[in-house]
């Protein structure tokens, strides 16, 4: 049994992500087949998916929704964190066997990741972290990069005779959420104030990365496609809400970031 990833053990972490979908059934089928999530429940037009009975992802049906606009504020990607490098290798073999279209594969120094996009345009990252003791910090800023992923090295972590990918394993979580915003500096100030997050990295004025408890990032915010974007149109598909888990609260709350993205908070440990 793997351990719960470090990302979930910090004072605040990502609990769940909600999407508004034009075709919820097809989208849920995609996340079951491609990401390996299990359907856990259905209620009021929403399909809850997760890993080993841990709810992670909620797809809310809205057939009348307009398509998401990638130039607006919203979701850049949901990042599904697998417990081990071998799990990432199993997922890569699964992607190869099922001819799953991959749009990127990167070594970020702190993690190794692959990128894809679901049928409604929502970004997805599948990743595994390197050991936190091996991350490099320069004061309070962490060293991250985007280098070519050594896929054969990751796949070599899968033991000979292994049963292979059996769906998202126990202790898979959403490690981070990366948002499209109009102004990264405004997102930084909001997450600093509302959640006490630390700013751990910046890419010029175009992207900022924030975290709780020394993680490399629980939230990313960029304006690569969305510079100057205003409030999100609630009639569009895509990101519905992000739910954070916090040791620091006793009640469930909900608030909106400067672009109208709903950020929920729930109490308790992961």
């Amino acid at each position: 049994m793997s351990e719960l990833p470090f990302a979930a053990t910090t004072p605040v972490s990502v609990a769940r992500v909600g999407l508004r979908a034009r075709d919820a059934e097809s989208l849920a089928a995609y996340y079951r087949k491609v990401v390996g999530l299990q359907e856990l429940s259905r209620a009021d037009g929403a399909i809850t998916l997760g890993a080993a009975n841990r709810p992670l992802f909620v797809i809310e049906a809205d057939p009348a929704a307009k398509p998401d606009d990638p130039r607006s504020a919203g979701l850049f990607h949901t990042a599904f964190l697998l417990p081990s490098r071998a799990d990432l290798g199993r997922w890569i073999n699964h992607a190869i066997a099922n001819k799953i279209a991959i749009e990127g594969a990167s070594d970020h120094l702190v993690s190794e990741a692959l990128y894809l996009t679901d049928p409604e345009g929502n970004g997805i990252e599948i990743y595994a972290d390197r050991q936190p003791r091996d991350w490099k910090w320069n004061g309070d800023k962490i060293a991250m990069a985007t280098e070519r992923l050594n896929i054969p090295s990751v796949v070599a972590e899968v033991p000979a005779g292994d049963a292979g990918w059996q769906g998202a394993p126990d202790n898979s979580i959403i490690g981070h959420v990366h948002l499209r915003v109009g102004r990264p500096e405004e997102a930084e100030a909001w997450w600093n104030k509302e959640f006490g997050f630390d700013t751990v990295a910046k890419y010029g004025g175009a992207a900022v990365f924030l975290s709780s408890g020394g993680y490399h990032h629980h939230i990313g915010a960029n304006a690569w496609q969305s510079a100057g974007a205003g409030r999100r149109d609630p009639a569009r598909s895509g990101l519905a809400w992000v739910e954070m888990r916090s040791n620091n609260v006793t009640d469930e709350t909900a608030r909106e970031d400067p672009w109208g993205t709903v950020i929920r908070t729930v109490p308790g440990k992961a």
Side-chain angles (χ1 to χ4, degrees), residues 4 23 36 45-46 54 72-73 83 92 103 116 136 143 169 179 190 195 222:
L4 194 63
D23 187 342
R54 180 189 301 275
S72 70
I92 291 171
E103 296 173 357
L116 53 161
K136 300 295 189 294
L179 301 170
W190 191 85
F195 283 89
N222 78 67

Side-chain angles (χ1 to χ4, degrees), residues 77-241:
H77 61 238
T78 303
F80 295 93
L81 175 56
L82 302 179
S84 74
R85 196 169 190 243
D87 290 320
L88 188 62
R90 293 181 183 98
W91 187 85
I92 291 171
N93 285 334
H94 158 70
I96 293 169
N98 289 278
K99 297 181 171 58
I100 294 167
I102 301 300
E103 296 173 357
S106 299
D107 183 335
H108 295 302
L109 307 183
V110 294
S111 62
E112 295 171 295
L114 296 102
Y115 297 91
L116 53 161
T117 301
D118 77 20
E120 295 200 4
N122 302 293
I124 299 168
E125 176 179 342
I126 309 288
Y127 77 115
D129 277 334
R130 288 198 166 91
Q131 292 296 321
R133 63 176 177 269
D134 296 327
W135 301 348
K136 300 295 189 294
W137 291 85
N138 180 18
D140 60 355
K141 299 298 185 283
I142 196 161
M144 293 193 291
T146 300
E147 300 177 351
R148 184 174 180 177
L149 180 63
N150 187 339
I151 289 177
S153 174
V154 179
V155 169
E157 293 285 326
V158 181
D162 186 81
W165 181 252
Q166 303 293 313
D170 289 0
N171 291 329
S172 297
I173 62 169
I174 295 177
H176 67 269
V177 178
H178 199 144
L179 301 170
R180 304 188 310 247
V181 300
R183 296 176 67 245
E185 62 272 27
E186 194 173 352
E188 177 186 11
W190 191 85
W191 285 93
N192 290 162
K193 178 178 182 289
E194 296 292 333
F195 283 89
F197 273 14
D198 300 312
T199 301
V200 293
K202 290 185 179 183
Y203 286 4
V208 63
F209 298 87
L210 306 118
S211 77
S212 170
Y215 189 51
H216 59 71
H217 69 293
H218 290 102
I219 294 292
N222 78 67
W224 294 325
Q225 298 168 289
S226 55
R231 288 180 68 83
R232 180 169 172 76
D233 180 353
R236 290 193 182 276
S237 64
L239 185 62
W241 44 266

